[in-house]
Amino acid sequence: MKRTEPEFWVLEYITITKDPRSSLVVAIGGTEKAADISQRTGGFLSAAGPRGDYHRLPHGLPVEQQRLKATTASHALLAAGHSVHLDPALNMLATPDGERDAALRYLAHLAERASAAKTSSEAAEVLTEIATPVNGLLPLTREVVVRAWSATSDLQGTSPARNPNPSHGSGTPPAP
């Protein structure tokens, strides 16, 4: 029995991704039927492009809404028999690539909240999340830097006891 490569009958492939220049979530490729499905299920809008029409989500959607709409549209397209590539960063159902992606999404969410703040108390809430003494981002970031400094000191054979605070820079404690 002779093995041959399979034949693929993918005539129209759809890619749903975030455009790096405009930050818009776009659906590229596919047929008119696929465009209709992405519009009805994901809220995509038709837009004229330099090489023909494409589909995009509306401007100004929060990241979580972009992910939800892109995932919904891709699953509806798959269920209808279309071939779809969904950018993993937009897939609500995929496990994030480690904790780093979750941290980046959290920071992006904080940035969106800060930009959307309509009152000083809304802006203060974002700043509080960043600077809270125990669980804020700044104290946690300081902890990472201190631990990395300590590990580096151990690897180089220098004693962290000579400089208990790496932010002072020298090998000796600062003068009072």
Side-chain angles (χ1 to χ4, degrees), residues 9-15 28 30 77-78 80-85:
W9 297 98
V10 178
L11 299 176
E12 294 291 334
Y13 193 81
I14 303 147
T15 299
I28 302 167
L77 288 162
L78 287 168
H82 296 277
S83 296
V84 180
H85 168 73

Side-chain angles (χ1 to χ4, degrees), residues 127-152:
L127 292 173
T128 299
E129 281 189 53
I130 294 169
T132 298
V134 176
N135 293 325
L137 294 175
L138 291 178
L140 292 173
T141 302
R142 181 186 182 281
E143 180 70 18
V144 169
V145 171
V146 167
R147 287 183 185 205
W149 171 82
S150 179
T152 302

Side-chain angles (χ1 to χ4, degrees), residues 11-25:
L11 299 176
E12 294 291 334
Y13 193 81
I14 303 147
T15 299
I16 300 175
T17 190
K18 187 175 254 191
D19 177 59
R21 288 172 294 172
S22 66
S23 294
L24 286 174
V25 175

